């Protein structure tokens, strides 16, 4: 369920974010759906490979015969990008464990009825941003839309 929610939020945000930007669609790979990458898109590394580290956060800086990411000026072939990066508009609490989200990047927490969503997971989510002003809780309507697959307006 959490993968479906994360994938749907990433899909919607990537579509909105791509308007007027240089964009490429990465094909589906294993459990990863097709992903729309645009210049400026936040991505997360899924494994340590090609100059990336598992869980590392990056931004797409250019798209040509490959995908360039910063920080670190990492250049990936399209094949590598398909395997090692995912959209990071939405991530799970588990993927954020141990990360510090820089000031200015918003953290919106969703409360869902799931056995793994307990007070410990919530504390992990709440402790990630450097600034309390960057922390927000999603309105309950968002959570209900996620559980219904965004079928409502």
């Amino acid at each position: 369920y959490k993968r479906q929610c994360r994938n749907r939020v990433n899909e919607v945000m990537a579509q909105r974010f791509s308007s007027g930007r240089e964009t490429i669609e990465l094909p589906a790979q294993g459990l990863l759906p097709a992903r729309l990458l645009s210049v400026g898109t936040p991505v997360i590394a899924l494994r340590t490979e090609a100059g990336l580290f598992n869980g590392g956060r990056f931004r797409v800086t250019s798209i040509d015969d490959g995908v360039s990411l910063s920080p670190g000026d990492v250049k990936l072939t399209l094949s590598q990008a398909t395997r090692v990066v995912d959209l990071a508009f939405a991530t799970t609490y588990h993927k954020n464990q141990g990360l510090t989200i820089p000031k200015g990047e918003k953290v919106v927490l969703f409360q869902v009825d799931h056995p793994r969503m307990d007070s410990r997971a919530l504390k992990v989510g709440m402790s990630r941003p450097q600034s309390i002003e960057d922390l927000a809780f999603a309105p309950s309507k968002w959570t209900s839309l996620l559980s219904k697959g965004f079928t409502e307006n």
Side-chain angles (χ1 to χ4, degrees):
Y1 174 77
K2 68 181 181 179
R3 181 179 295 128
Q4 292 169 332
C5 290
R6 184 196 71 227
N7 288 346
R8 183 65 180 138
V9 170
N10 277 329
E11 176 188 351
V12 169
M13 291 300 296
Q15 288 171 355
R16 291 181 180 178
F17 193 78
S18 66
S19 179
R21 298 174 190 249
E22 187 178 3
T23 302
I24 189 167
E25 184 171 2
L26 299 179
Q29 171 86 23
L31 294 174
L32 295 172
R35 289 142 301 171
L36 197 60
L37 293 185
S38 304
V39 172
T41 299
V43 295
I44 188 167
L46 301 173
R47 58 181 59 90
T48 300
E49 181 180 323
L52 304 177
F53 56 93
N54 186 29
R57 304 296 176 104
F58 301 88
R59 290 232 179 232
V60 175
T61 55
S62 70
I63 299 170
D64 42 42
D65 58 331
V67 177
S68 295
L69 307 173
S70 70
D73 298 321
V74 177
K75 176 81 171 173
L76 303 174
T77 65
L78 295 179
S79 174
Q80 287 172 318
T82 300
R83 284 192 327 272
V84 301
V85 297
D86 194 9
L87 297 171
F89 289 108
T91 58
T92 63
Y93 290 164
H94 296 90
K95 199 63 159 173
N96 289 336
Q97 193 169 348
L99 291 180
T100 299
I101 308 299
K103 188 172 183 172
E105 290 193 26
K106 301 298 180 193
V107 175
V108 180
L109 303 177
F110 285 85
Q111 283 301 104
V112 294
D113 186 21
H114 189 276
R116 292 190 179 158
M117 281 304 305
D118 58 12
S119 63
R120 292 176 297 173
L122 183 59
K123 288 176 187 172
V124 167
M126 290 175 66
S127 66
R128 301 302 90 200
Q130 285 183 325
S131 172
I132 193 72
E133 291 81 23
D134 293 330
L135 179 64
F137 288 90
S140 58
K141 182 177 181 181
W142 290 9
T143 302
S144 66
L145 289 174
L146 280 173
S147 65
K148 294 176 184 174
F150 282 81
T151 57
E152 297 179 7
N153 289 326

